[in-house]
Amino acid sequence: PEEGNVPGAFPIPAEFVLPQDTAEETLQGWRDDLTLQIGSLLMGSGVDPWSESDTIVLFDNGTMDAAALWWALDYLGHRDTRILEGGSSAWVNHWGAPDTVLPVGPLAPVRTTGDELPRYPAQFRDERLSTLDDVTASLADDAVVLVDSRSAEQFAAAHIPGAVNVPANENLAPGGEGWRSPD
């Protein structure tokens, strides 16, 4: 936001995007926080709350946070989520410097329990999430491939036996401005 904001875009803090572990208590808190966070983004903006049929376009500045949020929205059951190729750099290169005014919709506080705040109407797709028990059970299954997307250095330090390393940042084009070619 300090550098500017694409008109109509809402910043979403990275800590809301992915759960820290797959313990049921952690997942329930994460689900609650995320549905509240996404559901309340448009509060006070004069725009109707998001619905599962809206198109959501995500972008970041080369951090891959948009990809993590894409997965989280897919897990929530949102069917039309897209990522802006080239992220915020693509916007600047095409349209020029973004606005310096943040949108009017507030972000929901963490762990709010009030029913007065709208929630995203999630249809959780639990098949999109593997728990520690799922991964442990799959270690002997040759049909399951475990991909560790951390850096090569982190992978070398410690990893799940049998996992292959495909660092997430290697999916970005040089300079972090867009995705590498599928080729």
Side-chain angles (χ1 to χ4, degrees):
E2 296 81 32
E3 302 85 31
N5 190 58
V6 172
F10 292 87
I12 298 179
E15 64 267 16
F16 279 99
V17 175
L18 298 175
Q20 296 302 305
D21 62 64
T22 60
E24 188 52 42
E25 184 178 329
T26 302
L27 289 176
Q28 188 55 49
W30 171 73
R31 288 178 191 116
D32 290 345
D33 289 345
L34 190 62
T35 57
L36 182 62
Q37 178 77 4
I38 299 300
S40 66
L41 279 177
L42 298 178
M43 281 179 51
S45 68
V47 177
D48 289 336
W50 285 1
S51 76
E52 62 274 10
S53 63
D54 289 335
T55 298
I56 299 175
V57 179
L58 308 169
F59 63 92
D60 57 36
N61 58 357
T63 62
M64 306 259 329
D65 288 341
L69 183 54
W70 177 89
W71 178 87
L73 287 166
D74 183 63
Y75 175 75
L76 291 179
H78 198 86
R79 302 290 181 182
D80 191 4
T81 306
R82 304 165 191 208
I83 296 178
L84 175 62
E85 173 67 27
S88 56
S89 294
W91 179 272
V92 170
N93 291 338
H94 186 77
W95 296 103
D99 289 346
T100 56
V101 177
L102 289 176
V104 294
L107 295 176
V110 178
R111 300 273 187 237
T112 297
T113 58
D115 291 333
E116 70 280 359
L117 296 174
R119 291 187 177 271
Y120 179 83
Q123 301 293 318
F124 297 112
R125 299 174 71 191
D126 288 326
E127 75 277 6
R128 300 290 196 213
L129 178 70
S130 292
T131 65
L132 179 59
D133 290 340
D134 295 332
V135 172
T136 301
S138 73
L139 290 177
D141 188 344
D142 291 338
V144 176
V145 177
L146 296 174
V147 177
D148 186 327
S149 63
R150 298 174 304 148
S151 71
E153 294 79 18
Q154 291 171 313
F155 181 80
H159 59 271
I160 296 173
V164 296
N165 186 221
V166 182
N169 61 356
E170 290 183 11
N171 292 310
L172 295 175
E177 295 187 14
W179 299 98
R180 284 180 47 197
S181 163
D183 297 336

